Amino acid sequence: MSEGALPPEHVRDLAERLIGEVEKVIVGKRDIVELVTIALLCEGHVLLEDVPGIGKTMLARALAGALGGEFSRVQFTPDLLPTDITGSLVFDPRTAEFSYRQGPIVTNVLLADEINRAGPRTQSALLEAMEERQVSVERHLVRMPRPFFVIATQNPVELEGTFPLPEAQLDRFLMRLSIGYPELDDERAMLRRFRADAPLETVRVITTPEEMLAHMAAVRRVHISVAVETYLLSLIRATRHHEKIEVGASPRASLALARAAQAYAAVRGRSFVRPDDIRELAGPVLAHRIIATAQADLLGQSTTELIGEVVAAVPVPVEAESAT
């Protein structure tokens, strides 16, 4: 480890504190909260897709509250224009010049609520910023601050009047997650907690953008051995030859899975990636990046189930649990 570099234990401790703050609001969904934290640590973006009332927006607001830095929320609607989020050039009569008026996208954490309700042009403006970490307004180039983290939500059941994200745009998200309904005891605890208090108001700021950047740098130094790298690539290539997958995972998916696995290992205090890390993350990272065949659709098989079949079929390498 280079001089001055943070050890993996520091990443684990920060992740634990972040997760603890979010769990003041989101009860019984630690696995989802952990995955969102992992996406943040490897500078990815997350799409939360679930039915209304599950807690998508609350999760995003709680995490943003714990992160520190600047936070913006944009409610996507059919009449939302690209300049409504990117900003625009405004004429100043006093100077007879145009100046840039910053949009809500120039922030550290952006909550893009119900992204599928905006038109394709507005979606594209956001997705450009996610991928390039910059936006173009006329001839004005605006770079996003770091860290820059987008949490987008969409409702998959109310599709009338919406603009579903095409697969090429879904690929810009590191993970697509579904929170799901809570267990009985968790829902009971949530009822009592929200009845007695406003949990969002109790979320504390526990880090700064500068501290987050140092931890993100530590994540990028997590070691991936040749054996684990070969296993990851075998999974990716298997998606391209599966009989029920029409379009397999892209090279961007390989990079995304590798980065997510590094963060997953660091959150567990390790300086190296295990094959099990790859297996755990394959579903959230890859399922939205493939297209199933018509046969799979007729059989009612989801892309998550198809990724599960790929993971089950690809042999796992046996190697010593070390960073070398």
Side-chain angles (χ1 to χ4, degrees):
M1 185 165 54
S2 61
E3 186 177 353
L6 291 175
E9 293 80 8
H10 284 217
V11 179
R12 179 191 60 200
D13 293 344
L14 176 66
E16 285 293 329
R17 288 187 287 132
L18 276 173
I19 292 169
E21 290 302 312
V22 177
E23 286 188 316
K24 292 179 180 179
V25 178
I26 304 297
V27 183
K29 297 294 180 181
R30 186 180 179 86
D31 55 339
I32 298 296
V33 177
E34 183 180 74
L35 287 172
V36 173
T37 304
I38 287 168
L40 168 68
L41 284 167
C42 58
E43 297 193 83
H45 306 288
V46 172
L47 177 63
L48 296 177
E49 186 177 73
D50 219 321
V51 297
I54 292 294
K56 302 184 294 295
T57 302
M58 294 290 283
L59 189 157
R61 291 179 62 190
L63 183 64
L67 284 176
E70 297 184 9
F71 169 67
S72 295
R73 176 184 181 274
V74 177
Q75 180 67 51
F76 279 61
T77 57
D79 60 348
L80 191 72
L81 299 174
T83 53
D84 291 332
I85 61 171
T86 63
S88 59
L89 294 181
V90 179
F91 182 73
D92 187 344
R94 291 173 299 179
T95 62
E97 294 180 348
F98 286 91
S99 60
Y100 171 67
R101 179 174 293 173
Q102 181 174 297
I105 201 171
V106 185
T107 187
N108 294 119
V109 181
L110 175 68
L111 171 57
D113 226 351
E114 296 189 288
I115 186 176
N116 57 329
R117 294 201 177 279
R121 288 181 59 212
T122 305
Q123 292 176 358
S124 295
L126 171 63
L127 293 163
E128 176 197 352
M130 290 167 52
E131 180 69 16
E132 307 295 336
R133 302 190 185 276
Q134 64 184 31
V135 292
S136 301
V137 181
E138 299 292 338
R139 296 182 180 179
H140 197 88
L141 186 65
V142 183
R143 298 194 181 278
M144 299 297 104
R146 289 189 65 202
F148 175 59
F149 183 50
V150 175
I151 303 175
T153 73
Q154 69 175 0
N155 176 3
V157 295
E158 294 178 359
L159 298 178
E160 291 184 10
T162 63
F163 303 87
L165 294 171
E167 284 74 11
Q169 294 183 354
L170 284 173
D171 200 32
R172 301 297 197 275
F173 289 95
L174 180 79
M175 297 182 191
R176 182 178 64 179
L177 304 174
S178 176
I179 298 174
Y181 290 111
E183 299 293 333
L184 174 61
D185 290 342
D186 293 330
E187 193 163 7
R188 190 189 308 277
M190 181 192 68
L191 282 174
R192 293 175 178 176
R193 187 176 301 181
F194 276 79
R195 188 170 59 208
D197 204 351
L200 266 176
E201 297 178 2
T202 68
V203 174
R204 299 175 297 116
V205 177
I206 55 93
T207 186
T208 64
E210 293 74 22
E211 185 182 6
M212 283 303 306
L213 290 177
H215 286 78
M216 289 171 176
V219 165
R220 290 193 294 272
R221 287 188 290 269
V222 171
H223 179 71
I224 302 179
S225 69
V226 174
V228 173
E229 185 181 77
T230 301
Y231 175 61
L232 184 154
L233 293 172
S234 297
L235 282 177
I236 296 294
R237 296 181 71 81
T239 66
R240 301 169 188 169
H241 303 290
H242 194 284
E243 61 179 5
K244 295 179 185 176
I245 298 177
E246 184 174 348
V247 179
S250 67
R252 182 188 286 140
S254 304
L255 294 170
L257 187 53
R259 290 199 304 267
Q262 287 177 301
Y264 189 93
V267 164
R268 279 155 178 72
R270 282 187 276 110
S271 61
F272 60 95
V273 175
R274 294 173 176 167
D276 283 349
D277 301 337
I278 306 292
R279 292 170 63 88
E280 287 291 329
L281 293 168
V285 175
L286 299 181
H288 62 291
R289 301 173 187 268
I290 65 171
I291 300 176
T293 62
Q295 176 191 7
D297 286 336
L298 287 172
L299 293 173
Q301 286 187 285
S302 68
T303 53
T304 300
E305 291 172 331
L306 295 176
I307 292 297
E309 290 183 5
V310 170
V311 170
V314 176
V316 181
V318 178
E319 65 170 11
E321 292 186 352
S322 67
T324 57

